[in-house]
Amino acid sequence: MAAKRKTPVKTRNPDLIRGVGKYSRSKMYHKRGLWAIKAKNGGVFPRHDSKPKSPAAAEKPPKFYPAEDIKKPLLNKRKSRPTKLRASITPGTVLILLAGRFMGKRVVFLKQLTSGLLLVTGPFKINGVPLRRVNQSYVIATSTKVDISGVNVEKFDDKYFSKEDKKKLPEEKKEDQTAVDTVLIKSIEGVPDLKAYLGARFSLKSGMKPHELVF
Amino acid sequence: MPISSFNETMHRCTTDASVHKMHSMLYYHWDTSMHALCIDELIAFDVSILKECIDALPVHRYAFKQILGFNLMHRCTMNPFKRYVEIGRVALVNYGKDYGKLVFIVDVVDQNRALVDAPDMVRSQMNFKRLTLTDIKIDINRVPKKTTLIDAMEKTDVKNKWENSSWGRKLIVQKRRTSLNDFDRFKLKLAKIKKAGMLGRKLAKLKKETAA
């Protein structure tokens, strides 16, 4: 595809109503500068004749014809990319987990991994949720944001979460957890009541209508 | 229209003994002011003169006489209605696209509909069923210009009257409650617990003091 312009072209001939432009043919001729193109080319429009075709190489008949016509598979130009992230979920958003053993826990969103899953942390010391992957569909995004600027989440990707030893958690993972959390906890403690908020679970009480709640 | 001039007119009507003149005057006044009278204005009326006028109206104007008489007499005697549909009455829209807006009744179209206007909307007709009348009323003529409406609105300070009325305050609280964030709801919960705790401790202290 040709390179896109930085600003899209504003139409030179705006519609008065559908089908009727503001400027007439002669006005448009002048506006488009066709007179200038002609003048540059000595009174006529420049002609771009097709180049004379170089003689094509003599085609040799193929050596092999298959017995039956083989069907070519259909073209698939799909590119794999992570799930589209909801606009309400940005790094630092407090999410409410809706399923799993941490159901109802309020948790801080760090980043979206290449598989589409969300990387999330409690922080562990506040509510017991470690660095974990979570599906976007099982999450409610609140409008509360935590300042996440001091946290480095570069090293975490989907490979990090593949388990070699299913029984014991390696020490480095514990260190990674504390490394991420200490910075986070400092920014959380800056906001009054936020630590208690993240430590509490969300639940629907009597009279709460989820479709009317603002998160 | 000031009541004093109406009384004067009425007086002139009866003394003049010209029924036609009385007719036209009554019609004129009906159009602009009759349905805008409230009970305290009526007390200022000289009701006896009014009665004479109404009785003197010729028989073929029966319907008009009935309506005029009924409306006036009705407001004088005991009646359950306090808020009337009148020009300048402020109403709350309770259904539709403009739900929750305060609007001014600017004209009456027919038995069911009013012409309604507000500073931030295009003047339009609305069924009375979509309106809930409030206590607030402004002094305007039938179908005023937008700027006149806004001036009259500011003169009686409708916005502040509404926001300080108990109805208005309740609506504001409702709106605030629905707009609360999840975090806000949590903070509210903490505040309620704290308040209950303080009250409980105070109560326990008072109990101990009275028991001792």
Side-chain angles (χ1 to χ4, degrees), chain B residues 27-46:
Chain B
Y27 264 120
Y28 170 73
H29 292 308
W30 167 254
D31 182 51
T32 53
S33 69
M34 293 306 261
H35 51 288
L37 296 173
C38 71
I39 200 157
D40 24 78
E41 286 171 301
L42 276 168
I43 291 167
F45 253 133
D46 200 341

Side-chain angles (χ1 to χ4, degrees), chain A residues 85-122:
Chain A
L85 197 59
R86 259 181 272 161
S88 52
I89 302 178
T90 62
T93 314
V94 173
L95 308 173
I96 300 175
L97 301 179
L98 294 174
R101 68 180 284 218
F102 299 111
M103 189 157 48
K105 292 268 190 198
R106 293 169 174 123
V107 124
V108 178
F109 169 69
L110 297 176
K111 75 172 190 184
Q112 186 181 35
L113 304 168
T114 46
S115 65
L117 299 172
L118 313 181
L119 177 66
V120 128
T121 180

